[in-house]
Each structure stands twice: as C-alpha cells, then as structure tokens.
C-alpha cells in the first residue's frame, strides 16, 4: 500500500441516473451531465455508470451511450462503466463499443465489467442473456477479440474488434461477494467491490485481490475501488430526512413495486410497521448518512479498514440538486482534511 494519508485517497462517482417522482428521464439525464461537470470541478477522479434494465427509477440502461455523452461534456475526468454486465452482451459488441470510446476520448475511458444481469427475471429473459457461468470464458474472449490473438484453429481467428488501431481502455472487474477478487488479480486488472449494496465484508476480497495480483501493462500495481453509498447534507437531521427516500424506495424494490424514487416528504408520511422498520434499519447499515463531518469520518474509517485505493460514492436521493449538493459537501470536506493531514504509514 502507499504511504499517503487516508484522505489522499481519491474520490469518484457511481451514477445510476435515478429518476425521482415528478421528474422524467430527460431531466435525470440532464442532471447527470451537470453532476459530472460538478464532480470534475471538485476533483473527483472518475465518473461511472451502472447497467440496469427495466427499472422506472433508473435511466442508465445504456452505459456506453452515457459514457460518450458525458465524456463529450467534460474535459478531464475519467468516464466509464461500473459496470457493463457482460453476460447480457456479445463480447465483440462490447469490445468494439469501448474501442470506439477510447478512440473518441483517448486516455479517459474505463471499462468496468460485471456478471450480474442488472435486472429482474423478466427483463433478464428479454435480454436473452448468455450463460453467466461462462463469464470467465466470455471475458477472455473479449480480451482476445480486442488483441486479435486467437489461435489459428479458433473459429474467431482473424476477427479483431474495430477500430483496430486502439486498445481496450483499462478493465475493472466488479464484485459484491469476493468471488471475482482473485480472478481480477490473476488477470492483472482493476477490482471494484460493491459495498453500497453488498452485506459481505469488503476487506477480505480486497486482500484476496492483492494477494493474487499479477502486474499487467494497464495495471503495474493493484488498484482496488470501494463503492460506498452516501447521503450527505449540512446537518445530520436533514441528511436523515433526505435518506427517507432511499428507505422507502428499497422497501418497495424488495416487494417488486418498481417506480420513481419517492420524495422525502412521502417517505416521512409513510407509516412503517414494525417489520418494515426492522428491514429498513438493516438496509441502512450499508449506507453512510449524515453531515459532512460524520460522512467523511466514516469514509476515512472504511478506507482504513479495507485499504481501498479509491472510494467511489453513489447517492440516492429524490431531487437532483440535493444529490449534487451531497457530492459537493463530501468533496469539500475531504479536500479540507487533505490540506491539513500529514502523510502517515498504514
């Protein structure tokens, strides 16, 4: 691990392009561009989109389209997928999409890849996905299509992802249980752990990734990202109020009641019964909610516990301006601590 102090670890953004009640997809997508520009101005390192399908509350069903759009609207921040769910797609199509993005925005694109469907069973069936058990073979196929290095007797010999004069951008494997950590390390790619929705401890997978890591051209050293859910407001009370939208949205999601992210006023008025309150309280353990001081202190603690090289924040609140403010408050507090913190060994 490096010797930098905790808050010298970079922050990044994971955007699901949430659609709040009373807003439409155009508004949500427009707000995403504004948030990306804000994140860039605040020093966030990268901006990723997650692939989800068939969800009225999420407008990120086509990450590669959003990546190109946001990369064109910004200047320096890295933009990528967190992730592309590879079993939903033919490997050649993804290879060519990201070769094209790399050609359009050289040195600014990331390809984060996962194996989950990113949808419910009906949408999964509509995608006509590949067998997720074939994910490792499909990933190797993606790499070979990019490099054009299939053996001469392979059915795809001579096939290469176009444009052929660029390479795939850096590849990251996504995980939520640790199963893919050693695989990512053995491939010499980046690794991102989804603490924002996983109940599994994050430290063991990140350690397993480092233990298995083999250097590669794109990653001479291991790089582990930890994705964390945050709701930040000027006060703890306001943050709790805004996070009510998250609570009610999660409860409805688990009941297969899909719809836009509810307002915090609707969540405050909802009469949670005892079982629902227990369910919401259990889910809240995956999220960091509070004032900038509370949120940043907890982020620093999580980083120290896991040794993550980067923290990637995702935020579900109802209104785009409240979401943007949350990212602003976290970044400014993180930066303020960085300016006063002395490097320490860890």
């Amino acid at each position: 691990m490096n010797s930098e102090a905790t808050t010298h670890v970079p922050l990044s953004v994971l955007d699901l392009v949430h659609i709040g009640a009373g807003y439409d997809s155009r508004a949500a997508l427009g707000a995403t561009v504004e948030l990306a520009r804000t994140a860039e101005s605040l020093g966030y390192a990268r901006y990723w989109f997650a692939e989800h399908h068939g969800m009225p509350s999420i407008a990120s069903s086509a990450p590669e389209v959003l990546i190109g759009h946001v990369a064109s609207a910004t200047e320096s921040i890295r933009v990528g997928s967190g992730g592309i769910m590879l079993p939903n797609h033919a490997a050649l199509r993804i290879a060519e999409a990201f070769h094209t993005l790399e050609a359009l925005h050289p040195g600014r694109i990331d390809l984060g890849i996962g194996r989950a469907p990113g949808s419910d069973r009906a949408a999964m069936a509509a995608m006509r996905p590949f067998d997720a058990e074939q994910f490792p073979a499909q990933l190797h196929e993606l790499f070979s299509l990019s490099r054009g290095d299939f053996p001469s007797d392979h059915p795809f010999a001579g096939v290469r992802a176009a444009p052929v004069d660029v390479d795939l951008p850096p590849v990251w494997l996504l995980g939520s249980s640790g199963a893919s950590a050693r695989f990512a390390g053995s491939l010499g790619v980046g690794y991102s752990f989804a603490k924002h929705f996983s109940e599994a401890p994050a430290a063991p997978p990140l350690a397993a990734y480092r233990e298995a890591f083999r250097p590669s051209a794109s990653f001479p050293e291991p790089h582990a990202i930890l994705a964390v859910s945050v709701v930040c407001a000027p006060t703890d009370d306001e943050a709790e109020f805004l996070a009510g939208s998250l609570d009610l949205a999660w409860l409805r999601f688990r009941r297969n009641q899909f719809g836009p992210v509810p307002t915090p006023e609707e969540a405050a008025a909802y009469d949670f019964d005892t079982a629902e309150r227990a369910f919401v309280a259990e889910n809240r353990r995956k999220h960091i909610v509070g004032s900038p001081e509370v949120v940043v202190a907890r982020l620093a603690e999580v980083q120290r516990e896991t040794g993550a090289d980067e923290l990637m924040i995702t935020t579900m609140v109802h209104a785009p301006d409240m979401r943007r403010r949350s990212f602003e408050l976290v970044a400014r507090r993180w930066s303020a601590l960085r300016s006063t913190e002395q490097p320490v060994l860890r």
Side-chain angles (χ1 to χ4, degrees), residues 6 59 133 143 166 305-306 318 323 325 327 333 341:
T6 299
E133 295 303 315
F143 289 139
V166 296
E305 291 171 352
T306 62
H318 169 260
R323 183 173 61 140
R325 185 184 66 171
F327 281 99
R333 178 66 177 172
E341 195 173 46

Side-chain angles (χ1 to χ4, degrees), residues 173 178-188 191 204-205 207-214:
L173 286 196
S180 60
R182 288 192 176 277
F183 186 40
S186 70
L187 293 174
Y191 180 65
Y209 163 66
R210 294 182 182 283
E211 291 172 1
F213 186 81
R214 297 178 180 177

Side-chain angles (χ1 to χ4, degrees), residues 16-95:
L16 274 65
V17 196
H18 290 111
I19 304 173
Y23 296 93
D24 60 18
S25 59
R26 291 183 180 180
L29 291 166
T32 278
V33 173
E34 291 306 311
L35 178 57
R37 289 171 172 160
T38 297
E40 182 174 67
S41 71
L42 291 168
Y44 282 89
R46 65 189 85 236
Y47 199 101
W48 281 7
F49 294 101
E51 178 184 346
H52 290 279
H53 300 282
M55 297 184 182
S57 62
I58 293 176
S60 60
S61 56
E64 64 273 31
V65 176
L66 296 177
I67 291 167
H69 184 60
V70 166
S72 294
T74 53
E75 296 180 358
S76 59
I77 193 169
R78 296 191 68 92
V79 190
S81 59
I84 290 290
M85 301 296 106
L86 192 57
N88 290 341
H89 309 280
L92 179 59
R93 205 204 71 76
I94 296 305

